Amino acid sequence: MHGGLIGMLVDEMLVYAGAPHGVWGMTAKVRYWLRRPIPVGEELTLRGRLVQRSDRGFRAVVTVRLPDDSLAAEGEGMCVIRSAPVP
């Protein structure tokens, strides 16, 4: 799978990492690392975890795993908290 698509998934999961904590953000900074090739058609498991929060934003980490639970990619980033609630 193209690494840019994995970057897009990491970016998206950063935002969702804040949802269980009642915050929604917009990505301000993201970086990611591809750890192994990801075959097209494989089911992936993505997990995002909020690791730091302030009044203005939050930092989160993301993992992307293959069906055998091996780490395929990981990333981290900062999100700016949206001032208006998302429906």
Side-chain angles (χ1 to χ4, degrees), residues 1-4 6-7 32-38 71-74:
M1 182 179 295
H2 190 284
I6 298 302
Y32 62 98
W33 300 268
L34 304 173
R35 299 299 185 198
R36 65 184 56 229
I38 301 172
L71 182 65
E74 59 188 327

Side-chain angles (χ1 to χ4, degrees), residues 3 9 14 16-18 25 28 30 36 39 42 53 55 62 67-68 71 74-75 79-81:
L9 293 172
L14 288 174
Y16 284 102
V30 61
R36 65 184 56 229
E42 289 286 343
R53 181 178 172 184
D55 291 338
V62 174
D68 67 358
L71 182 65
E74 59 188 327
C79 293
V80 177
I81 294 177

Side-chain angles (χ1 to χ4, degrees), residues 33-82:
W33 300 268
L34 304 173
R35 299 299 185 198
R36 65 184 56 229
I38 301 172
V40 173
E42 289 286 343
E43 186 171 318
L44 302 174
T45 301
L46 285 80
R47 291 200 172 96
R49 183 170 54 93
L50 190 142
V51 294
Q52 186 178 20
R53 181 178 172 184
S54 71
D55 291 338
R56 295 178 47 209
F58 61 90
R59 187 170 77 86
V61 295
V62 174
T63 58
V64 180
R65 295 191 175 272
L66 294 170
D68 67 358
D69 202 39
S70 61
L71 182 65
E74 59 188 327
E76 65 179 14
M78 299 290 296
C79 293
V80 177
I81 294 177
R82 289 177 50 101

